[in-house]
Amino acid sequence: MRALKAHIKNMLPQKLMYLYYLNSAKKASMYDLKRRVYDKVYNKSDVEKVKRDLALAYHIVEKGLTMPKPRPGFGKAVVMSLLDTVEKYAEFKLPKHDLEFTQSISVLKEYLHFHEQISFTLDNDLLTRLQTINKRFATVEGQKQIRTNKLDYFKHKNGSFDKFCQSRYSVRNYTNHEVPISVLHDCINLAQRSPSFCNRQPNRVHIVKSPEKKEAILNIQNGNRGFGHLAETLIVLSSVVSTTKDIHERFENHLNGGLFGMTLLNALHYNEIGACSLNWSVSDDKDMKLREIINIPHNEVVLMIIACGYLPDEFSIASSPRKSAEEITKLH
Ligand SMILES: Cc1cc2nc3c(=O)[nH]c(=O)nc-3n(C[C@H](O)[C@H](O)[C@H](O)COP(=O)(O)O)c2cc1C
């Protein structure tokens, strides 16, 4: 039966084969696509959406506060929208101890405090709203951004697993000190210890050192403003789609890449290299542009980018607090 199938396959013109695979791929992908589209149109869970919007906005402000050189008055539009979402959350009468809420309030207070400390006068409309929040939620506390130094940041690099894990953060500040390729290879070899489906090892790594290429890539990535230009190295993670057998394995590239990416981040931390993941959730034209810049083979899918480099003596990191195990776990 298998031989007959292969024989028929060989006799079919390639174009017909392509259309056949495309059709079955569309059918399989629709199952997932419909869930996503349904969520965007029909999911009336305002609670989930308001929490998502809080996290999205407070994280941008959190990042702004920890930039190598925070710009006085930065991010007015996003702070205003965070204030709107906080008010919406309060209107819904949702729990005041939920992380998205407490951290949003904490970040807004920190934003106000930062500008008071540098004696920068914020626009009146913004200032009034921030002061109101400050008074109204005087007792609400979140996690402040962290000012640290190289020695302290890496002090658990040879420590116990729990201490090591808790000590890694995304760092968005780098020196121009060269990270040798051999050290990057050491890190990539460690990342290669990550499990992969049937040990098929689909991950690929493109190391970008050329200043022109780094700049061109960062110009089309939407999450590196204020720090990306400092990255001594960009690591573009990709995955070979030809390692998947059929369309039902379509998520394996991203899943395997996620496991690989986490080990790589840990390996960079272990080698005293600061790193920050950069999303590659982009439109197809940007993806095609990236392929032109660094000549990525057609059968590789790009997963994410890691900006990295050796660290300055002192720097700030975004606290990015986590929900507890109890909050995200369901026992069945
Ligand atoms: C897939 C992925 C994409 C990310 N994209 C960005 C990005 O574009 N810009 C950025 O500054 N941080 C980005 N991050 C870093 C997250 O903001 C960070 O991991 C999160 O806030 C948790 O903080 P931590 O890494 O310090 O533990 C990304 C992280 C992941 C995993």
Side-chain angles (χ1 to χ4, degrees):
M1 191 62 186
R2 212 183 245 182
L4 181 67
K5 262 189 182 171
H7 182 65
I8 295 172
K9 233 175 167 182
N10 285 339
M11 280 174 36
L12 288 171
Q14 265 192 327
K15 180 76 188 171
L16 207 63
M17 282 298 288
Y18 179 83
L19 290 174
Y20 168 75
Y21 273 111
L22 189 64
N23 201 37
S24 48
K26 268 188 194 159
K27 199 166 153 253
S29 303
M30 278 314 257
Y31 175 68
D32 173 59
L33 285 180
K34 276 184 187 163
R35 189 191 316 281
R36 289 169 190 282
V37 175
Y38 185 94
D39 178 70
K40 297 294 161 274
V41 180
Y42 296 113
N43 180 359
K44 295 277 177 268
S45 171
D46 286 332
V47 177
E48 274 171 30
K49 288 180 183 168
V50 85
K51 284 187 171 189
R52 172 199 65 197
D53 291 344
L54 284 177
L56 273 171
Y58 88 63
H59 183 55
I60 296 176
V61 185
E62 199 181 48
K63 272 170 60 174
L65 288 164
T66 58
M67 281 297 107
K69 285 185 194 148
R71 187 175 54 79
F74 74 88
K76 180 178 174 185
V78 74
V79 177
M80 281 298 223
S81 108
L82 179 54
L83 284 159
D84 290 343
T85 317
V86 161
E87 272 159 27
K88 200 165 157 189
Y89 186 96
E91 265 169 38
F92 285 154
K93 303 208 179 338
L94 293 167
K96 298 285 182 293
H97 53 262
D98 275 7
L99 179 105
E100 289 86 351
F101 181 72
T102 52
Q103 193 60 12
S104 296
I105 299 292
S106 171
V107 163
L108 287 169
K109 288 182 186 174
E110 214 177 332
Y111 182 86
L112 177 63
H113 186 61
F114 166 75
H115 287 95
E116 282 168 355
Q117 269 192 327
I118 58 165
S119 307
F120 180 85
T121 313
L122 290 165
D123 291 348
N124 218 25
D125 51 345
L126 178 59
L127 185 62
T128 315
R129 290 186 73 185
L130 285 169
Q131 285 168 338
T132 309
I133 288 286
N134 199 29
K135 265 198 219 137
R136 185 170 163 201
F137 299 109
T139 56
V140 175
E141 274 184 37
Q143 278 183 28
K144 297 259 177 315
Q145 311 320 312
I146 304 156
R147 186 80 190 155
T148 186
N149 59 63
K150 223 167 33 177
L151 217 65
D152 223 32
Y153 181 63
F154 290 119
K155 75 176 174 214
H156 295 298
K157 76 165 196 108
N158 292 314
S160 58
F161 182 69
D162 57 342
K163 290 254 158 46
F164 180 89
C165 276
Q166 282 157 9
S167 70
R168 186 216 55 85
Y169 285 80
S170 292
V171 187
R172 301 178 176 89
N173 197 339
Y174 322 98
T175 63
N176 58 9
H177 191 77
E178 188 187 344
V179 181
I181 295 290
S182 59
V183 175
L184 291 170
H185 282 167
D186 288 347
C187 297
I188 293 162
N189 276 325
L190 278 177
Q192 270 292 74
R193 295 304 306 160
S194 313
S196 71
F197 66 147
C198 315
N199 204 22
R200 283 183 244 176
Q201 306 175 46
N203 304 294
R204 296 294 178 269
V205 184
H206 299 266
I207 297 173
V208 189
K209 292 268 191 189
S210 142
E212 296 75 29
K213 288 182 180 171
K214 280 191 296 182
E215 190 184 348
I217 294 171
L218 292 170
N219 277 340
I220 52 170
Q221 197 278 338
N222 69 0
N224 69 87
R225 204 158 63 183
F227 71 96
H229 62 287
L230 298 174
E232 194 274 336
T233 300
L234 290 184
I235 298 172
V236 178
L237 287 191
S238 65
S239 182
V240 179
V241 291
S242 325
T243 58
T244 62
K245 211 167 147 288
D246 59 38
I247 195 65
H248 302 297
E249 290 185 341
R250 67 192 176 284
F251 299 120
E252 294 298 342
N253 294 106
H254 285 80
L255 184 56
N256 283 263
L259 295 168
F260 181 90
M262 185 67 246
T263 316
L264 184 53
L265 288 173
N266 280 334
L268 291 165
H269 189 59
Y270 177 69
N271 280 278
E272 300 195 14
I273 298 165
C276 181
S277 314
L278 300 176
N279 77 84
W280 195 243
S281 306
V282 295
S283 56
D284 45 3
D285 55 329
K286 285 189 177 175
D287 192 70
M288 285 189 271
K289 184 96 191 56
L290 174 66
R291 287 165 190 282
E292 268 171 37
I293 301 168
I294 53 171
N295 191 19
I296 293 175
H298 191 62
N299 70 340
E300 287 179 26
V301 57
V302 179
L303 312 177
M304 69 188 270
I305 301 174
I306 297 175
C308 63
Y310 288 119
L311 298 180
D313 291 336
E314 288 208 344
F315 54 95
S316 298
I317 39 190
S319 61
S320 297
R322 303 297 207 268
K323 294 178 203 280
S324 69
E326 290 74 13
E327 277 176 277
I328 64 156
T329 305
K330 224 185 220 174
L331 184 65
H332 299 277

